[in-house]
Amino acid sequence: MRSFVPAYELVSPEGLSNALDLLAREPGVWKPFAGGTDIMVLLEAGKLTHRNYFNIWNLKELRGIEVSAAEITIGALATYTEIQSHPILRDEFPMLCQAASETGGLAIQNRGTLGGNIVNASPAADSPPALLAYDAELELVSTRGTRQMPYQGFHTGYKQMTIRPDELLARIRLPRTSKDLHHYYRKVGTRKAQAISKTCFAATARIENETVADVRIALGSVAPVPLRCLKTESVVRGARIDQDVIERAKNEFAGEITPIDDIRSTRTYRLKVSLNLLEDFLRQLPMRLG
Ligand SMILES: Cc1cc2nc3c(=O)[nH]c(=O)nc-3n(C[C@H](O)[C@H](O)[C@H](O)COP(=O)(O)OP(=O)(O)OC[C@H]3O[C@@H](n4cnc5c(N)ncnc54)[C@H](O)[C@@H]3O)c2cc1C
């Protein structure tokens, strides 16, 4: 059943400081409305329980993609279209651009924001695994100031996060990667576009002297939160890839992810495909297999 629209309130504060004042005056009462692509689905389905929103789409302080020598800073309101067309993001963070290009269709890519994808906190979202594999950092703002935190650990349980009721997600920072980083991203869904992932795998690795000098592996749709697989990484880090390392990594990985049965897929399928993707990632690393 559709929602009764007059029961909802949407205000448009002018400028970031007025928006933060509104949040500080009545924490928990007002929630941000960015692109609205998640919020409007709930509204249409009659499932939008929260009533008061403030429009942040026009807050220029949350826009833009800035490049410095050490990092790329992406405004929370950056859309998927902006992300995938940014030359340095395409060059150095191809998995984030691939996630953006495989999120929804063109209309969603023009309107949906990276900040909204993070705070909507769906474990099936497509950008979070790439952000985890790139060691992203978040910048949160409130009238009390700014705080930075690693993205890893931001999601604490299903739809639970460490953002406070008076805070906005302002920026996402990505430490710039070295040219020799190997990137591997696969979204597995029913169709190429307009499909929610059954599993989503993102990993990076750096190879030195025929061994894995560094590795990061992250997944969506296999746990209550977007998951970084630290135990699996520790099997692979420092190793030369051979069949034994692949088997040990797969064993660790099978214990680390907790896929479920739901309307999109089954636990068995998600586990099998995720294991296959891990093996494919390891086998494609640019080194001679031992
Ligand atoms: C047809 C369709 C297809 C889709 N396909 C995909 C897909 O393939 N992959 C995928 O991952 N997602 C998909 N989505 C989901 C959605 O488009 C994304 O999650 C999008 O990035 C949400 O951003 P938004 O700006 O629209 O968020 P909104 O709907 O505006 O907000 C979502 C939530 O985040 C909060 N929020 C937004 N911005 C901030 C901020 N700066 N600080 C604090 N809180 C904030 C809001 O209060 C709300 O709770 C799809 C949606 C639709 C309708």
Side-chain angles (χ1 to χ4, degrees):
M1 200 174 71
R2 293 184 73 178
S3 305
F4 180 59
V5 175
Y8 293 87
E9 193 167 1
L10 179 70
V11 298
S12 280
E14 285 222 356
L16 181 61
S17 72
N18 285 329
L20 295 179
D21 283 346
L22 179 74
L23 272 181
R25 265 199 313 277
E26 297 178 283
V29 172
W30 298 93
K31 281 194 176 179
F33 187 107
T37 61
D38 280 313
I39 292 172
M40 292 305 288
V41 171
L42 294 175
L43 182 83
E44 279 296 301
K47 292 182 180 164
L48 189 62
T49 51
H50 195 86
R51 296 293 163 107
N52 301 79
Y53 291 89
F54 64 104
N55 177 20
I56 60 171
W57 184 256
N58 296 323
L59 299 182
K60 60 181 186 319
E61 298 91 335
L62 306 186
R63 291 212 166 272
I65 299 174
E66 287 159 23
V67 180
S68 74
E71 60 187 17
I72 313 274
T73 304
I74 305 174
L77 289 175
T79 64
Y80 296 111
T81 301
E82 288 164 348
I83 287 168
Q84 62 188 288
S85 58
H86 193 278
I88 296 179
L89 286 177
R90 287 167 76 112
D91 190 34
E92 295 181 26
F93 300 93
M95 301 195 300
L96 184 60
C97 296
Q98 190 178 338
S101 72
E102 293 181 13
T103 293
L106 287 183
I108 295 298
Q109 291 173 17
N110 284 337
R111 184 75 196 182
T113 66
L114 186 59
N117 200 231
I118 293 171
V119 183
N120 189 56
S122 164
D126 294 315
S127 300
L131 294 174
L132 286 171
Y134 287 136
D135 236 356
E137 196 173 84
L138 304 183
E139 185 182 305
L140 302 158
V141 281
S142 68
T143 51
R144 290 172 287 114
T146 301
R147 69 181 174 115
Q148 323 262 353
M149 59 174 304
Y151 178 46
Q152 196 202 331
F154 177 71
H155 300 287
T156 52
Y158 180 70
K159 296 261 177 183
Q160 303 295 309
M161 288 153 280
T162 52
I163 192 167
R164 297 172 186 144
D166 66 342
E167 285 179 323
L168 273 179
L169 173 58
R171 273 172 271 280
I172 300 100
R173 298 184 191 285
L174 299 173
R176 291 185 78 172
T177 57
S178 58
K179 288 277 176 216
D180 54 0
L181 200 67
H182 181 73
H183 312 251
Y184 181 100
Y185 180 89
R186 298 285 186 280
K187 167 178 175 170
V188 179
T190 305
R191 298 178 301 270
K192 193 83 184 131
Q194 299 283 27
I196 298 175
S197 299
K198 295 172 192 280
T199 182
C200 178
F201 185 105
T204 59
R206 199 163 42 78
I207 308 299
E208 268 174 25
N209 303 325
E210 294 288 316
T211 57
V212 180
D214 200 10
V215 61
R216 294 193 205 114
I217 300 167
L219 279 92
S221 292
V222 297
V225 296
L227 187 71
R228 173 106 180 257
C229 296
L230 296 170
K231 291 181 181 165
T232 309
E233 289 173 12
S234 68
V235 173
V236 177
R237 190 172 293 110
R240 179 166 183 205
I241 302 300
D242 58 17
Q243 194 55 40
D244 175 56
V245 170
I246 291 173
E247 291 310 321
R248 284 193 291 117
K250 285 170 75 177
N251 276 340
E252 197 64 60
F253 186 68
E256 206 167 14
I257 64 175
T258 52
I260 57 166
D261 293 319
D262 67 10
I263 51 163
R264 284 186 289 277
S265 191
T266 63
R267 178 190 175 280
T268 311
Y269 178 84
R270 287 189 164 114
L271 181 61
K272 177 89 180 142
V273 172
S274 303
L275 284 164
N276 288 348
L277 291 173
L278 175 67
E279 179 161 356
D280 192 44
F281 160 62
L282 295 174
R283 288 191 180 282
Q284 286 195 21
L285 290 176
M287 65 200 303
R288 271 179 286 119
L289 286 190

PDB file of all heavy atoms in Angstrom, residues 66-80:
ATOM      1  N   GLU A  66      37.747  15.881  -4.821  1.00  0.00           N
ATOM      2  CA  GLU A  66      39.025  16.617  -4.784  1.00  0.00           C
ATOM      3  C   GLU A  66      40.197  15.649  -4.787  1.00  0.00           C
ATOM      4  O   GLU A  66      40.119  14.587  -4.177  1.00  0.00           O
ATOM      5  CB  GLU A  66      39.091  17.487  -3.531  1.00  0.00           C
ATOM      6  CG  GLU A  66      38.182  18.703  -3.613  1.00  0.00           C
ATOM      7  CD  GLU A  66      37.864  19.267  -2.244  1.00  0.00           C
ATOM      8  OE1 GLU A  66      38.647  19.035  -1.301  1.00  0.00           O
ATOM      9  OE2 GLU A  66      36.810  19.914  -2.131  1.00  0.00           O
ATOM     10  N   VAL A  67      41.262  16.094  -5.446  1.00  0.00           N
ATOM     11  CA  VAL A  67      42.441  15.233  -5.578  1.00  0.00           C
ATOM     12  C   VAL A  67      43.635  15.913  -4.930  1.00  0.00           C
ATOM     13  O   VAL A  67      43.925  17.071  -5.215  1.00  0.00           O
ATOM     14  CB  VAL A  67      42.747  14.988  -7.077  1.00  0.00           C
ATOM     15  CG1 VAL A  67      43.965  14.096  -7.240  1.00  0.00           C
ATOM     16  CG2 VAL A  67      41.533  14.383  -7.782  1.00  0.00           C
ATOM     17  N   SER A  68      44.318  15.208  -4.015  1.00  0.00           N
ATOM     18  CA  SER A  68      45.596  15.714  -3.497  1.00  0.00           C
ATOM     19  C   SER A  68      46.644  14.634  -3.749  1.00  0.00           C
ATOM     20  O   SER A  68      46.321  13.542  -4.244  1.00  0.00           O
ATOM     21  CB  SER A  68      45.488  16.036  -2.006  1.00  0.00           C
ATOM     22  OG  SER A  68      45.470  14.835  -1.272  1.00  0.00           O
ATOM     23  N   ALA A  69      47.884  14.914  -3.373  1.00  0.00           N
ATOM     24  CA  ALA A  69      48.942  13.935  -3.646  1.00  0.00           C
ATOM     25  C   ALA A  69      48.687  12.634  -2.901  1.00  0.00           C
ATOM     26  O   ALA A  69      48.993  11.546  -3.399  1.00  0.00           O
ATOM     27  CB  ALA A  69      50.293  14.524  -3.241  1.00  0.00           C
ATOM     28  N   ALA A  70      48.095  12.730  -1.707  1.00  0.00           N
ATOM     29  CA  ALA A  70      47.967  11.536  -0.878  1.00  0.00           C
ATOM     30  C   ALA A  70      46.618  10.839  -1.005  1.00  0.00           C
ATOM     31  O   ALA A  70      46.513   9.640  -0.753  1.00  0.00           O
ATOM     32  CB  ALA A  70      48.203  11.911   0.587  1.00  0.00           C
ATOM     33  N   GLU A  71      45.561  11.595  -1.345  1.00  0.00           N
ATOM     34  CA  GLU A  71      44.224  10.969  -1.316  1.00  0.00           C
ATOM     35  C   GLU A  71      43.251  11.632  -2.278  1.00  0.00           C
ATOM     36  O   GLU A  71      43.486  12.736  -2.752  1.00  0.00           O
ATOM     37  CB  GLU A  71      43.662  11.019   0.110  1.00  0.00           C
ATOM     38  CG  GLU A  71      43.520  12.431   0.634  1.00  0.00           C
ATOM     39  CD  GLU A  71      43.129  12.496   2.107  1.00  0.00           C
ATOM     40  OE1 GLU A  71      43.271  11.491   2.834  1.00  0.00           O
ATOM     41  OE2 GLU A  71      42.670  13.576   2.515  1.00  0.00           O
ATOM     42  N   ILE A  72      42.135  10.916  -2.506  1.00  0.00           N
ATOM     43  CA  ILE A  72      41.000  11.477  -3.250  1.00  0.00           C
ATOM     44  C   ILE A  72      39.883  11.643  -2.227  1.00  0.00           C
ATOM     45  O   ILE A  72      39.589  10.707  -1.473  1.00  0.00           O
ATOM     46  CB  ILE A  72      40.489  10.521  -4.354  1.00  0.00           C
ATOM     47  CG1 ILE A  72      41.635   9.963  -5.182  1.00  0.00           C
ATOM     48  CG2 ILE A  72      39.414  11.188  -5.201  1.00  0.00           C
ATOM     49  CD1 ILE A  72      42.084  10.778  -6.314  1.00  0.00           C
ATOM     50  N   THR A  73      39.267  12.813  -2.216  1.00  0.00           N
ATOM     51  CA  THR A  73      38.180  13.073  -1.277  1.00  0.00           C
ATOM     52  C   THR A  73      36.886  13.220  -2.069  1.00  0.00           C
ATOM     53  O   THR A  73      36.775  14.094  -2.928  1.00  0.00           O
ATOM     54  CB  THR A  73      38.469  14.360  -0.483  1.00  0.00           C
ATOM     55  OG1 THR A  73      39.738  14.213   0.140  1.00  0.00           O
ATOM     56  CG2 THR A  73      37.421  14.580   0.592  1.00  0.00           C
ATOM     57  N   ILE A  74      35.931  12.346  -1.766  1.00  0.00           N
ATOM     58  CA  ILE A  74      34.670  12.332  -2.522  1.00  0.00           C
ATOM     59  C   ILE A  74      33.564  12.874  -1.618  1.00  0.00           C
ATOM     60  O   ILE A  74      33.336  12.358  -0.523  1.00  0.00           O
ATOM     61  CB  ILE A  74      34.314  10.880  -2.941  1.00  0.00           C
ATOM     62  CG1 ILE A  74      35.476  10.252  -3.721  1.00  0.00           C
ATOM     63  CG2 ILE A  74      33.028  10.847  -3.750  1.00  0.00           C
ATOM     64  CD1 ILE A  74      35.274   8.769  -4.037  1.00  0.00           C
ATOM     65  N   GLY A  75      32.885  13.928  -2.067  1.00  0.00           N
ATOM     66  CA  GLY A  75      31.759  14.463  -1.296  1.00  0.00           C
ATOM     67  C   GLY A  75      30.667  13.411  -1.187  1.00  0.00           C
ATOM     68  O   GLY A  75      30.440  12.644  -2.130  1.00  0.00           O
ATOM     69  N   ALA A  76      29.985  13.381  -0.030  1.00  0.00           N
ATOM     70  CA  ALA A  76      28.958  12.353   0.191  1.00  0.00           C
ATOM     71  C   ALA A  76      27.867  12.405  -0.868  1.00  0.00           C
ATOM     72  O   ALA A  76      27.215  11.400  -1.150  1.00  0.00           O
ATOM     73  CB  ALA A  76      28.351  12.518   1.591  1.00  0.00           C
ATOM     74  N   LEU A  77      27.654  13.592  -1.473  1.00  0.00           N
ATOM     75  CA  LEU A  77      26.592  13.723  -2.478  1.00  0.00           C
ATOM     76  C   LEU A  77      27.066  13.391  -3.900  1.00  0.00           C
ATOM     77  O   LEU A  77      26.307  13.578  -4.855  1.00  0.00           O
ATOM     78  CB  LEU A  77      26.018  15.147  -2.460  1.00  0.00           C
ATOM     79  CG  LEU A  77      25.160  15.497  -1.235  1.00  0.00           C
ATOM     80  CD1 LEU A  77      24.749  16.961  -1.274  1.00  0.00           C
ATOM     81  CD2 LEU A  77      23.916  14.612  -1.166  1.00  0.00           C
ATOM     82  N   ALA A  78      28.289  12.907  -4.043  1.00  0.00           N
ATOM     83  CA  ALA A  78      28.748  12.516  -5.386  1.00  0.00           C
ATOM     84  C   ALA A  78      27.830  11.409  -5.910  1.00  0.00           C
ATOM     85  O   ALA A  78      27.549  10.433  -5.203  1.00  0.00           O
ATOM     86  CB  ALA A  78      30.189  12.033  -5.331  1.00  0.00           C
ATOM     87  N   THR A  79      27.377  11.584  -7.137  1.00  0.00           N
ATOM     88  CA  THR A  79      26.502  10.565  -7.729  1.00  0.00           C
ATOM     89  C   THR A  79      27.347   9.488  -8.411  1.00  0.00           C
ATOM     90  O   THR A  79      28.535   9.687  -8.677  1.00  0.00           O
ATOM     91  CB  THR A  79      25.569  11.190  -8.788  1.00  0.00           C
ATOM     92  OG1 THR A  79      26.388  11.691  -9.844  1.00  0.00           O
ATOM     93  CG2 THR A  79      24.700  12.296  -8.207  1.00  0.00           C
ATOM     94  N   TYR A  80      26.695   8.386  -8.738  1.00  0.00           N
ATOM     95  CA  TYR A  80      27.394   7.306  -9.449  1.00  0.00           C
ATOM     96  C   TYR A  80      27.897   7.792 -10.807  1.00  0.00           C
ATOM     97  O   TYR A  80      28.957   7.381 -11.269  1.00  0.00           O
ATOM     98  CB  TYR A  80      26.474   6.104  -9.620  1.00  0.00           C
ATOM     99  CG  TYR A  80      26.085   5.502  -8.294  1.00  0.00           C
ATOM    100  CD1 TYR A  80      24.791   5.596  -7.810  1.00  0.00           C
ATOM    101  CD2 TYR A  80      27.037   4.880  -7.508  1.00  0.00           C
ATOM    102  CE1 TYR A  80      24.456   5.072  -6.584  1.00  0.00           C
ATOM    103  CE2 TYR A  80      26.715   4.350  -6.276  1.00  0.00           C
ATOM    104  CZ  TYR A  80      25.416   4.447  -5.815  1.00  0.00           C
ATOM    105  OH  TYR A  80      25.102   3.936  -4.592  1.00  0.00           O
TER     106      TYR A  80
END
